[in-house]
Each structure stands twice: as structure tokens, then as C-alpha cells.
Amino acid sequence: MLEWSDVDLAVRDAVRQFIDKEIRPHVDALESGAMEPYPIVRKLFSTFGIDAMAKESLEKRLARMREGSTSSGGSSGSSGGGGMFGGDAGGMGFVVISELCGVCMGLVVGMGVSLGLTVPTITSRGTLAQQERWLPELVTYEKVGAWAITEPDSGSDAFGGMKTTVVRAGDGSGDYILNGQKTFITNGPDADVVVVYAKLDTGDASIDPRDRKVLTFVLDRGMEGFVQSTPFRKMGIHSSRTGELFFDDVRLGRDRLLGETEENAAGDGRASARSNFSAERIGVAAMALGVIEECVRLCVGYANERTLWGSEIGRFQLIQLKLATMEVARMNVRNILFRVIEAAQTGTPITLAEASAIKWYCSQAATDVAMEAVQLFGGNGYMTEYRVEQLARDAKSLMIYAGSNEVQITHVARGMLSG
């Protein structure tokens, strides 16, 4: 695939019309927190029938499970259960992500965590009853999901440093008691449904805490002992609401343990989290492309309009160098995204090392382009009204989001050395 298909381009044009009408006029309100992001995404879904497609895809999956042809513990991903855009949307899904990220990345971050992490985890690990219980309202975005793994002292060392624990209640009920804290949780302040990773503490002192089994639970807003913080103030992606979660003796029935067994067919909770890491990192390519394309659009327009010493600044060679460097980055990131789409179409898996390389390069490229865009605009670029300032703040998050770039480098090198 070297170019977008005619269908992809038609979707792009329709999404751009929606963005111009429903999102651009409200960017300031979204950035300030005066407007919640979720209603806009729901309107997007209803306008393009994404919610209906997701619901139909989920119903087909659940029907197969009821007939016994599909079991829980299958491959993690969105295609089977509604997922990010109701089945395998191919290039169209990435087009939507890219276009949104050029204007308001926070909308995509919140949507991506709910539909791209929360939903696939329940899809891949949950029983039929659990999928019927939580997925119908999640795949349509009627309810917002959060995916809670990061803790204050275990960012990059997500599993080894995890201190959130569950213990068996010990009263014969089969229940668990959850205690701990999660931080930097996208949608955390507002989530209706939260997937939580916690370590099982059996009281066996011979087991190193770093090696304890990781279990995955689903919590609902308002449960006793479960507290969701107010939103954090952040450098960028302001329209994505991020916060902390606190668990104080939260009692969880076995029906909230995904798979309803400690010996899940999909393996320890680490397995599902790692598969989600890859999907999250691959998605950064589309997010980065959106930022780069918007920066290029804004910079070309500004270079043709802004005059200095009686000439448009686009005539100056240093400005041309900036524009040409942006264009090369755009081409490279777009081609990487095409590689991702082709891999999905052919069923070729992308390794964790390649996913990390994709995330590392694309996030760095988007940040470099956005910072150069600010520089090209000069003093105007530092002002919010010209939007490149927002794009620069948002782009920087991609170097930390889905695992810091320093960690990605390690995964890339390990993949090379083990091959």
C-alpha cells in the first residue's frame, strides 16, 4: 500500500468536515476543561455509524461464543469485539485517528484507552458473561473505560515495581480484597469501567514480590473503597483527562476477575498487558502523522503569507530547509503507517521490537516537526491562537505515552541482539 485508497480518502474528507464543524470551534473549551471530550466523540460515532458498527461486531462475536465456537482467552485486539472502530477498520481507522490528532489529540488518547485498551483486555480475557456485562456500552462509548497499570513508583518497571495487591478474602466467599494506587490513568477521573492490574499476595514469604502473579480485575465507578481523583493539570493533551485511582479494601467478587480464574487461559496478566503495549505503540504512528500533517499545513500557509524585509519568508533558504525536513518526516511516518496497515491486512504480526521502533521514531519525528513549527512561526508560534504551540505540547506526550522512548530503545536493541 503506497497511497490511501479512494475509500480512505472519502472518509478523510468527511471526517475533516466534521472536525471543522464540531471540534475546531471548541478547541479552546476542550483545552481549558470547560468542555468534556466524551460527548464530541459520541457525536462522531453516531454521525459516522461507528457505534452501530461496533455494536454489530460485538453481537456477532457474542453469538459465536454462545454457540461455543469462540472462547475467552483468544488473541487480544479490537477486531473481534467492536474494538477501536467496530471490527477491522484497516486504513479508515488510522485516517480518523490521524485527522483528529492534528486538531485535538486528547480526544484520541481518551478514546484509544477506552476502546483500544480496556475493550480488548475484556475481550481477550473475559468470560462470555463478563463480555456481555461490560462490553455493549463500552464499544459504543456510552460508557468510558480506563486501563490501570501505572503506579507512582513503577512507571517503566510496570510489573516489577507494582505494589497494588489483592489478597483472597479468606472467608470462603471466593472474593478478593484490593488495595493500592494507580497514577497517570487516562480517563481515570471519569471512567465508568476500569480494568485494574494487581499482584496476588498469598502470604508466601518465599515468593519475591516482583515475581507474584498479576491478576486482572474490572471495577465500576462508585464501588465502596474505590476513589477516582480530580483531573491532573498537564503540559499537553489537555482534552484527555488524567488522574489517580485509589483502592482501600475494595471487595471484588470472582465475577470481576477476568476469566473468573487465577489460571486464565490467556496467561498471567502480564501477557495481555504486553500485547496491549504493542498495539498502543503502533497506534502512535497514526497520531504522529496527524500532528506532522497539521504542522506542515500550517507552516506552508504561514510561509506563503508572512513577509519579512519585503518578501514572503518561504523564499528564505532556512525556512525552506525547515519545510523540506518536515516533509521528509511526513513521508517517512506515513510509509511506516502503511507498513502497519499492510501487516494487518496480510495477518503478519509486528514484533514488540518493531512496535517499539515505530513508536520511538514516529514520536520523535512528530516532536521535532512541531518544535520547528513553533520556531518557524517565531513569536506567533509561542502564542496559543496560532495552534502550533498546542501541537508542540501534544506531540511531546508521544515520547512518554505508551512507554518512554528510552524504554523503546531497549526493546529495539534487545530484538536485534536476540535475532
Side-chain angles (χ1 to χ4, degrees):
M1 179 178 184
L2 300 176
E3 289 292 343
W4 296 113
S5 69
D6 290 341
V7 173
D8 293 335
L9 293 176
V11 170
R12 181 200 66 186
D13 293 343
V15 170
R16 284 180 178 177
Q17 291 179 12
F18 178 89
I19 288 172
D20 289 342
K21 180 181 179 182
E22 303 291 346
I23 299 179
R24 287 190 191 276
H26 305 297
V27 169
D28 287 336
L30 288 164
E31 285 285 294
S32 69
M35 177 182 289
E36 287 194 354
Y38 315 110
I40 286 184
V41 177
R42 292 181 185 122
K43 189 167 187 177
L44 172 74
F45 275 35
S46 63
T47 299
F48 292 98
I50 296 171
D51 50 359
M53 289 188 292
K55 187 174 182 179
E56 180 182 0
S57 177
L58 174 63
E59 279 304 317
K60 288 179 179 178
R61 173 188 171 81
L62 296 178
R64 291 195 300 269
M65 291 185 69
R66 294 182 192 108
E67 294 167 359
S69 59
T70 303
S71 61
S72 65
S75 61
S76 175
S78 62
S79 59
M84 188 68 170
F85 290 106
D88 184 8
M92 290 186 291
F94 287 123
V95 166
V96 175
I97 292 169
S98 180
E99 292 298 322
L100 289 172
C101 278
V103 180
C104 192
M105 185 188 292
L107 293 177
V108 173
V109 173
M111 179 173 60
V113 167
S114 186
L115 299 172
L117 293 177
T118 309
V119 165
T121 302
I122 297 173
T123 299
S124 65
R125 303 184 66 82
T127 64
L128 172 60
Q130 289 173 328
Q131 294 187 46
E132 290 176 327
R133 178 178 180 181
W134 284 299
L135 290 181
E137 292 176 298
L138 283 173
V139 300
T140 59
Y141 216 55
E142 293 171 71
K143 287 190 174 180
V144 175
W147 193 76
I149 188 170
T150 303
E151 298 185 5
D153 297 321
S154 63
S156 297
D157 185 20
F159 297 115
M162 186 179 291
K163 295 178 182 177
T164 297
T165 61
V166 288
V167 298
R168 300 185 185 104
D171 55 7
S173 64
D175 291 353
Y176 296 86
I177 306 298
L178 172 69
N179 282 283
Q181 176 184 355
K182 301 290 182 179
T183 194
F184 303 146
I185 305 304
T186 299
N187 299 337
D190 309 304
D192 303 293
V193 178
V194 183
V195 169
V196 178
Y197 289 80
K199 284 190 173 178
L200 177 63
D201 183 359
T202 62
D204 186 345
S206 66
I207 301 177
D208 188 326
R210 295 182 64 85
D211 298 327
R212 289 173 179 163
K213 179 177 293 187
V214 176
L215 301 181
T216 314
F217 294 87
V218 181
L219 278 65
D220 290 299
R221 167 183 284 277
M223 293 179 65
E224 186 175 355
F226 174 35
V227 176
Q228 299 167 254
S229 78
T230 56
F232 288 149
R233 297 180 65 186
K234 307 191 300 292
M235 175 180 174
I237 51 173
H238 291 166
S239 55
S240 169
R241 291 154 71 97
T242 306
E244 290 183 291
L245 307 177
F246 301 93
F247 316 107
D248 183 12
D249 288 338
V250 181
R251 192 175 188 95
L252 305 172
R254 185 166 285 264
D255 60 330
R256 292 185 176 275
L257 171 63
L258 283 179
E260 297 191 24
T261 174
E262 294 176 11
E263 305 299 330
N264 195 296
D268 180 79
R270 292 174 174 85
S272 71
R274 288 188 178 115
S275 67
N276 283 330
F277 289 157
S278 291
E280 197 176 17
R281 290 166 188 176
I282 289 168
V284 168
M287 299 172 73
L289 181 62
V291 170
I292 292 171
E293 289 188 333
E294 184 71 357
C295 285
V296 169
R297 184 186 73 82
L298 292 171
C299 287
V300 168
Y302 191 75
N304 279 325
E305 295 171 2
R306 172 68 165 161
T307 59
L308 189 64
W309 298 307
S311 178
E312 297 86 0
I313 64 172
R315 294 179 177 270
F316 302 147
Q317 220 169 17
L318 281 177
I319 298 298
Q320 292 175 357
L321 174 61
K322 292 182 187 298
L323 293 175
T325 302
M326 291 179 190
E327 176 62 7
V328 171
R330 187 194 68 81
M331 294 168 62
N332 286 339
V333 171
R334 189 188 68 161
N335 287 337
I336 287 173
L337 183 57
F338 286 164
R339 150 68 182 154
V340 170
I341 295 170
E342 283 189 327
Q345 291 174 342
T346 60
T348 305
I350 291 180
T351 66
L352 178 61
E354 185 176 359
S356 294
I358 289 169
K359 190 268 182 186
W360 172 31
Y361 177 83
C362 293
S363 64
Q364 184 68 62
T367 303
D368 290 345
V369 167
M371 291 303 293
E372 280 286 50
V374 172
Q375 192 69 23
L376 186 147
F377 272 70
N380 287 333
Y382 207 66
M383 301 296 114
T384 301
E385 65 180 292
Y386 283 86
R387 293 302 170 201
V388 289
E389 175 268 348
Q390 176 198 336
L391 289 165
R393 288 187 288 103
D394 289 353
K396 180 61 182 177
S397 71
L398 295 178
M399 296 179 65
I400 303 168
Y401 174 80
S404 70
N405 278 10
E406 289 77 7
V407 173
Q408 310 311 318
I409 293 168
T410 298
H411 284 303
V412 174
R414 283 177 179 172
M416 296 170 65
L417 294 170
S418 64

